[in-house]
Amino acid sequence: MAELLHRLGTLAARRAWTVIVAWVVILGVVGGGFAIGFTGLSSSFDIPGTASGDVIAELQDELPDFSGASGAVVFRTSDGSALTDAQKSDITALVDSAGDLPDVARVTDPFEAQTQLDTQRQQVVDGRQQLADARAQAESGQAQLDAGVAQLDQGQQQLDTGRAQLDAAPLPDAQKQAQLDELDQQQAQLDQQRAALAQQQTQLTDGLAEISAQETQLAEGAELLSFADAIRLVSDDGSTAIVNVSFGEPRLELSESSKEAVVEHFTADPVDGVDVAFNTEISQGVPEILGVGEAIGVAVAAIVLIVVLGSLLAASFPIITALVGVAIGAMATLSFSGLVQMASVTPILGVMLGLAVGIDYALFILYRHRRQLLQGADVVESIGLANGTAGNAVVFAGMTVIVALLALNITGIPFLGLMGTAGAVSVFVAVLIAVSLTPALLGLAGSRILSRRARSRIAAAGEATHPRRAARAGAPVADAAQHPRRAARTGAVATVPTAKPMSTLRAVVTMVVAIAALLIVAIPALSMRLGLPDGGSEAEDSTAYQAFTWTEDAFGAGANAPLLITAALPAGTADADVQGLQLEVARELFALDDVAAVAPVAVSDDRALAAFQVIPQEGPNAVSTEQLVRDLRALPPVDGDIELGVAGAAAINIDISEGLADVLPIYLVVVVGLSFLIMVMVFRSLLVPLIATAGFVLSLFATYGAVTAVFQWGWLGEVLGVHNAGPILSFLPVILVGILFGLAMDYQLFLATGMREAWAHGASPRLAVAQGFRAGRTVVSAAAIIMIAVFSGFIASDSVIIKSMGLGLALGVLFDAFVVRMLLMPAVMHVLGGSAWWLPRWLDRVVPNVDVEGSALERRHPAHH
């Protein structure tokens, strides 16, 4: 590989314009692909196979109107007064005309819906009064019937007494018969009256039964309504109203243009005296990737480059190549958005990494080339050698980052794997540009990448003959070897002692302090919670934040976190039985802690599935809401046969967060194991990889702790623009593992290989640590500062997703580069001494010899003669 890169670097330096034109053509082709293939990004995330996903699939079959995406448009008067009739009419007109918007299934008029709710509640009151009056009337009729029956009983008794007296009286037969006929007529009249009373009794009994059934039905309806008392679409003070918008497409398939159409519709003709805002389901689009903060980060990187390289021209090359790489990598990825569904965060990782590693990788090659020029090397040969040595290390370091990012696909989470793939593409492009476009630019620049003073010094060195003057002028290492201090400044660490080892006491103290500091910073990670940002986490001037806070103020925190519950009704459920079953389910739901309201919202046509809305007491990212989702899913079947399911935005976010938390340990084990195997091959040692891996784990958990302290605990929130503390971005820990592993290996490579090279050239183990550290500290420090600057630029983003990723990566590089690689690792290797490079013989024979630094290439192609 080193020889191949040497030839590539030499060729690029000699045919610079050919290489530059080739990259311009590639940029044009990729730009054309982007123009043709880019179809937009999704602002939603999903993990297949989640519980909420199964519920949504069931809704698509039984209640398709409730399976699509939904959002809220919040109207609020500017002065806090109640909405006037004119304002209500204007809002209603907007609602009525919104039904024709693309992908919009239905739009709820808040005033009509609130009136219906209030009417239903009043109907319950009126119905109770009507039933009470009907029962009173029926009971009065019953009393009259009872009195009539008593009179009939009394008349019957009189007839029976008269008949008995007549039978006992000694009357002629004719007279007795006449009186008996008269009694029979009276009996017939009495029986007729009794039959009429019996019929009335039947009617009255049926009426009372009907009243009882209506009372039961009304009581069930009233109980169901009572569970929904906290649900409103117009606030109690009349100042705020929520328009619910339901889409016909699932949230992952809903296009940004459909959301934008809703925003445009409700803002194009403002209602006088009324402000409007849209919740995250509608307003959350593709975040701005590059802004002022990112520009400042690149500017800081430029300053560092100027200080390290001493030339404006040289400092411009890494930035130019990085920007070209970012453009190619990002557009190449986005060109496939029409074929593969991409989340809005997909290109973010590629842009972050493309900028950071693109600058760093070009810096490594340029720094090596500059050092060789200062030693009097020929320009073209120096470019080839720099590309074969530092470029070889760049390729190896880039491959470790790429492998770590591609390993995100093993998580089984599509959007995360796609993010990793997009990042890997950007890093791959950065590596290709570093080893081809950078040599071409250096070939064009020639010796002009050095300052005039440096060029004059080299010219003078060519004429100098005295060793001391030659060394001072930047002579080759072989001549400068007699002067250790000058050799150190020119980078000749492999052949001469250029630094003193640290004391063992200092090494031990450094170890203890570094480890203790990282562990202390990591403490908050013990309480880390994962989640996805809600409207309360957005920028304070954003419409999503306004909608979130207005809704919370007017309707309670839980109104921002509605849950959708499904109930599978028993087979053959009759229409008359539906309300009773709904009530039984609602009772179970309302009995749970932290439930503010429950309302039945739909029943499928075949009465196989019922849907309910549950409003939690707190917001979507509250601990209680997370626990409520778990409690709902833990409920046994209602009545033994009614299975429940939980969906809704809050439940979906919880499912995603839990899914990511589950794969984090697996991914961490894979990456750590991978890092160990790679470093055994590079450093031909067992202890050095163990030190590097342990240091990586320490810096990783310190990063988790710092991010938790800022975003979850709220520390330094005002300074960093975190105004509403909440859970950590659910996929951030996994992303940090992949990226920080790759970057940690970069720094480990550029420091430890110098130590190994010095040790292999005969330096004592502890002296080799000092020499290797001194040789690599400048370029590693510069590279780390550049990365921190670039990543920190993203902290200024209004998007909490980009902000948290930027802060996490910046802190991760800070901890790993300056605490682990430049303090802890040298101290531990000093204490270990020669045992740090121990490798069992059998393993030494098996492990391939990877010459990352290109030492063999240097022997074949010396840069100076």
Side-chain angles (χ1 to χ4, degrees):
M1 176 63 76
E3 185 67 38
L4 177 63
L5 290 171
H6 175 272
R7 293 176 183 175
L8 176 61
T10 303
L11 179 65
R14 289 173 176 164
R15 299 187 177 180
W17 282 113
T18 302
V19 174
I20 292 172
V21 170
W23 278 110
V24 171
V25 171
I26 292 172
L27 181 61
V29 171
V30 172
F34 170 77
I36 296 172
F38 180 67
T39 59
L41 301 173
S42 170
S43 58
S44 301
F45 309 97
D46 193 19
I47 296 179
T50 60
S52 54
D54 295 340
V55 172
I56 292 174
E58 188 177 25
L59 285 169
Q60 287 176 333
D61 293 335
E62 297 288 344
L63 291 168
D65 289 347
F66 292 87
S67 64
S70 62
V73 183
V74 186
F75 289 92
R76 190 182 74 163
T77 55
S78 303
D79 57 2
S81 61
L83 289 159
T84 65
D85 291 339
Q87 290 169 335
K88 291 179 181 179
S89 297
D90 290 343
I91 294 173
T92 297
L94 289 172
V95 170
D96 292 340
S97 58
D100 296 331
L101 295 174
D103 291 328
V104 171
R106 64 184 183 279
V107 185
T108 304
D109 184 337
F111 309 110
E112 180 182 349
Q114 189 63 55
T115 299
Q116 291 176 351
L117 283 173
D118 294 340
T119 299
Q120 288 175 353
R121 293 186 175 100
Q122 186 59 46
Q123 285 175 344
V124 169
V125 175
D126 295 343
R128 282 175 172 163
Q129 184 60 48
Q130 291 171 1
L131 287 175
D133 293 343
R135 179 171 287 282
Q137 185 177 359
E139 289 175 349
S140 175
Q142 183 65 58
Q144 293 175 358
L145 280 176
D146 292 341
V149 170
Q151 289 177 354
L152 288 177
D153 289 342
Q154 185 178 2
Q156 184 66 55
Q157 186 178 2
Q158 292 174 351
L159 280 175
D160 292 342
T161 301
R163 189 180 295 279
Q165 291 176 350
L166 183 62
D167 289 339
L171 295 175
D173 291 340
Q175 184 179 0
K176 181 180 289 190
Q177 185 61 46
Q179 292 183 4
L180 284 172
D181 290 342
E182 184 178 353
L183 288 176
D184 288 340
Q185 290 177 358
Q186 293 178 3
Q187 183 65 55
Q189 293 175 354
L190 192 64
D191 290 342
Q192 186 177 4
Q193 293 175 358
R194 188 179 294 279
L197 287 178
Q199 185 178 2
Q200 293 178 15
Q201 182 64 60
T202 300
Q203 293 175 348
L204 187 60
T205 300
D206 291 343
L208 284 170
E210 179 65 22
I211 290 172
S212 296
Q214 290 179 1
E215 286 176 336
T216 299
Q217 188 175 13
L218 185 64
E220 290 177 348
E223 189 175 0
L224 274 174
L225 275 176
S226 70
F227 295 152
D229 282 343
I231 297 178
R232 295 187 62 87
L233 293 177
V234 180
S235 61
D236 289 330
D237 62 4
S239 66
T240 308
I242 296 179
V243 175
N244 288 320
V245 180
S246 298
F247 297 93
E249 295 292 333
R251 66 182 196 139
L252 289 177
E253 300 175 15
L254 183 64
S255 67
E256 289 301 317
S257 60
S258 297
K259 298 180 185 180
E260 292 168 359
V262 172
V263 174
E264 172 66 21
H265 176 79
F266 283 99
T267 56
D269 190 11
V271 179
D272 291 339
V274 178
D275 299 323
V276 62
F278 305 85
N279 71 351
T280 54
E281 281 72 18
I282 294 177
S283 65
Q284 190 177 60
V286 179
E288 183 183 65
I289 299 176
L290 296 176
V292 176
E294 292 76 13
I296 294 174
V298 173
V300 173
I303 294 172
V304 175
L305 289 170
I306 292 172
V307 171
V308 172
L309 300 176
S311 164
L312 283 173
L313 182 62
S316 68
F317 288 168
I319 294 178
I320 292 172
T321 56
L323 292 176
V324 172
V326 166
I328 293 175
M331 289 193 296
T333 300
L334 296 175
S335 297
F336 294 93
S337 62
L339 301 176
V340 180
Q341 190 176 61
M342 293 185 182
S344 58
V345 297
T346 301
I348 293 173
L349 185 59
V351 171
M352 286 183 175
L353 283 176
L355 275 175
V357 303
I359 294 174
D360 277 5
Y361 290 168
L363 169 63
F364 291 143
I365 295 173
L366 206 158
Y367 185 81
R368 177 66 180 250
H369 172 55
R370 177 180 177 275
R371 190 179 72 183
Q372 291 168 173
L373 289 182
L374 289 173
Q375 295 171 355
D378 173 72
V379 171
V380 173
E381 184 57 34
S382 176
I383 293 172
L385 184 59
N387 213 45
T389 53
N392 193 39
V394 162
V395 170
F396 184 83
M399 290 304 105
T400 61
V401 179
I402 290 171
V403 169
L405 291 172
L406 290 178
L408 286 170
N409 287 279
I410 70 172
T411 62
I413 300 172
F415 82 85
L416 198 58
L418 197 56
M419 278 185 71
T421 302
V425 168
S426 292
V427 175
F428 180 69
V429 172
V431 170
L432 290 181
I433 287 180
V435 298
S436 60
L437 183 57
T438 300
L441 294 175
L442 293 177
L444 283 180
S447 62
R448 293 192 302 275
I449 67 165
L450 300 177
S451 65
R452 290 183 180 179
R453 180 179 299 178
R455 293 200 298 270
S456 299
R457 213 167 41 236
I458 293 174
E463 301 173 358
T465 56
H466 193 278
R468 184 180 300 275
R469 290 173 55 196
R472 188 178 299 112
V477 176
D479 297 330
Q482 302 174 38
H483 308 280
R485 292 185 180 179
R486 169 53 59 187
R489 281 194 290 271
T490 58
V493 298
T495 57
V496 291
T498 59
K500 290 183 179 180
M502 71 178 80
S503 67
T504 302
L505 176 61
R506 178 184 172 187
V508 172
V509 171
T510 301
M511 288 170 50
V512 172
V513 172
I515 293 173
L518 291 173
L519 290 176
I520 291 172
V521 176
I523 289 175
L526 297 174
S527 62
M528 183 171 64
R529 291 177 54 236
L530 301 181
L532 289 175
D534 54 33
S537 302
E538 298 295 333
E540 290 183 299
D541 59 350
S542 68
T543 182
Y545 179 80
Q546 291 171 342
F548 187 91
T549 53
W550 294 355
T551 301
E552 183 173 341
D553 293 342
F555 304 98
N560 283 308
L563 299 173
L564 187 62
I565 311 299
T566 60
L569 303 181
T573 297
D575 188 58
D577 298 331
V578 169
Q579 181 172 277
L581 293 174
Q582 285 179 320
L583 179 60
E584 290 180 17
V585 173
R587 283 172 179 162
E588 292 287 341
L589 299 177
F590 195 73
L592 292 175
D593 293 336
D594 300 309
V595 170
V598 177
V601 292
V603 178
S604 62
D605 292 337
D606 59 1
R607 295 179 294 282
L609 190 71
F612 298 79
Q613 186 182 63
V614 170
I615 304 297
Q617 291 285 1
E618 296 187 274
N621 276 326
V623 176
S624 63
T625 302
E626 184 178 338
Q627 185 59 47
L628 175 60
V629 172
R630 292 194 178 94
D631 292 343
L632 286 166
R633 287 175 172 161
L635 282 175
V638 179
D639 281 351
D641 58 355
I642 301 179
E643 296 280 353
L644 301 180
V646 185
I652 292 171
N653 290 349
I654 289 170
D655 285 345
I656 293 174
S657 300
E658 290 184 346
L660 288 165
D662 290 341
V663 302
L664 177 59
I666 299 173
Y667 182 64
L668 182 60
V669 169
V670 170
V671 169
V672 169
L674 180 65
S675 70
F676 181 80
L677 294 176
I678 291 175
M679 284 186 291
V680 168
M681 183 172 61
V682 173
F683 301 120
R684 309 196 68 77
S685 163
L686 287 180
L687 293 181
V688 171
L690 283 175
I691 297 168
T693 302
F696 161 66
V697 173
L698 274 175
S699 63
L700 177 68
F701 281 98
T703 304
Y704 287 169
V707 169
T708 302
V710 172
F711 286 93
Q712 186 174 314
W713 291 7
W715 290 10
L716 299 177
E718 294 184 2
V719 176
L720 297 172
V722 182
H723 56 82
N724 190 8
I728 305 305
L729 181 65
S730 54
F731 53 83
L732 182 62
V734 179
I735 289 292
L736 290 179
V737 170
I739 297 176
L740 293 181
F741 154 69
L743 300 183
M745 295 309 100
D746 286 359
Y747 303 135
Q748 180 72 21
L749 182 69
F750 284 101
L751 285 173
T753 50
M755 298 176 186
R756 176 174 176 78
E757 186 179 2
W759 176 74
H761 280 77
S764 65
R766 291 177 175 174
L767 182 59
V769 171
Q771 290 178 344
F773 177 77
R774 181 166 181 171
R777 66 184 179 184
T778 300
V779 68
V780 170
S781 297
I785 293 172
I786 288 170
M787 280 206 175
I788 293 170
V790 172
F791 290 146
S792 296
F794 290 89
I795 299 175
S797 172
D798 288 337
S799 169
V800 68
I801 293 178
I802 298 179
K803 184 188 295 289
S804 60
M805 290 177 66
L807 180 64
L809 291 172
L811 290 174
V813 172
L814 175 67
F815 293 145
D816 196 87
F818 290 104
V819 180
V820 173
R821 305 302 154 192
M822 302 189 75
L823 288 178
L824 180 59
M825 191 268 294
V828 174
M829 292 190 67
H830 175 91
V831 172
L832 290 175
S835 61
W837 305 107
W838 174 76
L839 186 70
R841 290 185 179 179
W842 66 269
L843 190 57
D844 185 55
R845 290 192 297 268
V846 173
V847 175
N849 188 11
V850 180
D851 184 16
V852 177
E853 278 292 296
S855 300
L857 180 69
E858 284 188 280
R859 291 191 294 271
R860 291 193 300 269
H861 302 279
H864 40 75
H865 307 281

